[in-house]
Amino acid sequence: MTSPRPQLGLIGYGAFGRLTARHLATWFDILAFDPDATGSDGSARLTDLATAAACPVVILAVPVEALADTLTAIEPHLQVGALVIDVGSVKVLPARLMADRLPAHVRAVGTHPLFGPQSARDGIAGLRIAVCPARGDRITRRVAAFCRHALKLKVFIVPAEDHDREAAMVQGLTHLISRVLLSMEPLPTRMTTVSFERIMQAVEMVRYDSPAVFRAIERDNPFAADVRRRFFDLAEQARADLDGGV
């Protein structure tokens, strides 16, 4: 007789929450809570907040700007020894919030799957995920091992600050440039170059990201403002050189 699958509470059942449920349903019985969810695709069972938060593993698939309130809401329902994992696009702020708002008997790990519904359309094997210690290296290594062996992801175990410093460039510039190009539509589709098509592929990857994702990447990353400032300064210098005939 096979043992029942462990339960996993999923707080947030939007586009990324559904992607999460779809790829974890093999290993967990997923109980999802989202006040705006209208139905499940079969990967999770919709339930109330208290039930989802009482699972031994709880994943927070909510916007970073909603994380503080979500942690406050789930705190009374968390089991002793429960593992709470966030999947936000930044890591310094979530790590601080989890340290401040979760009870001492709860374990916590920060993760950032470096993909989304668009880039994971053909599966997640081989894609990247950052795993950041929040409360203890041992549980961080266990989460990383699961991501590596069960989900076949390429795992980077990094401090939250190192993650945000690199993400400010990797994600911050990608989303910023894509936002500008989306505002310039319609863009050429006939006589294009390979390099232009690669840029447009990047634009398509983030086209349907919510405004909350953009705000988290640009406003909640403590290193993003400096990267933007450097980018705009260099762009302005390039414009000055061109206007001056250099």
Side-chain angles (χ1 to χ4, degrees), residues 26-214:
T26 300
W27 292 274
F28 297 94
D29 179 19
I30 300 176
L31 306 180
F33 169 77
D34 190 320
D36 298 321
T38 56
S40 171
D41 61 3
S43 300
R45 291 184 288 133
L46 294 178
T47 187
D48 58 274
L49 175 69
T51 301
C55 293
V57 178
V58 180
I59 292 180
L60 306 178
V62 300
V64 174
E65 61 194 23
L67 186 60
D69 289 342
T70 301
L71 290 168
T72 298
I74 68 172
E75 187 272 335
H77 311 292
L78 294 169
Q79 293 184 16
V80 173
L83 170 61
V84 176
I85 301 171
D86 93 286
V87 295
S89 299
V90 296
K91 295 273 67 79
V92 170
L93 177 59
R96 186 174 74 244
L97 289 173
M98 289 193 289
D100 291 344
R101 295 175 183 253
L102 291 177
H105 60 72
V106 170
R107 300 170 297 169
V109 175
T111 71
H112 179 198
L114 297 164
F115 54 86
Q118 297 300 314
S119 51
R121 284 177 307 205
D122 299 323
I124 64 172
L127 299 181
R128 298 172 173 86
I129 186 170
V131 180
C132 302
R135 284 188 177 175
D137 291 337
R138 183 177 180 183
I139 190 61
T140 302
R141 290 194 298 270
R142 288 182 62 186
V143 170
F146 176 84
C147 292
R148 184 179 296 114
H149 299 298
L151 301 180
K152 308 301 181 186
L153 295 170
K154 185 173 183 179
V155 179
F156 299 89
I157 301 178
V158 293
E161 280 202 5
D162 289 358
H163 168 276
D164 282 6
R165 187 176 288 105
E166 291 192 34
M169 181 75 71
V170 172
Q171 278 198 304
L173 285 184
T174 300
H175 281 71
L176 183 63
I177 293 169
S178 296
R179 268 295 184 92
V180 173
L181 288 173
L182 285 170
S183 298
M184 295 176 69
E185 289 186 327
L187 295 168
T189 59
R190 187 177 58 166
M191 292 184 293
T192 59
T193 61
V194 172
S195 57
F196 182 80
E197 289 169 359
R198 295 283 174 84
I199 292 173
M200 292 313 298
Q201 288 175 5
V203 172
E204 288 304 314
M205 290 291 183
V206 304
R207 177 185 293 273
Y208 301 106
D209 284 354
S210 70
V213 171
F214 183 72

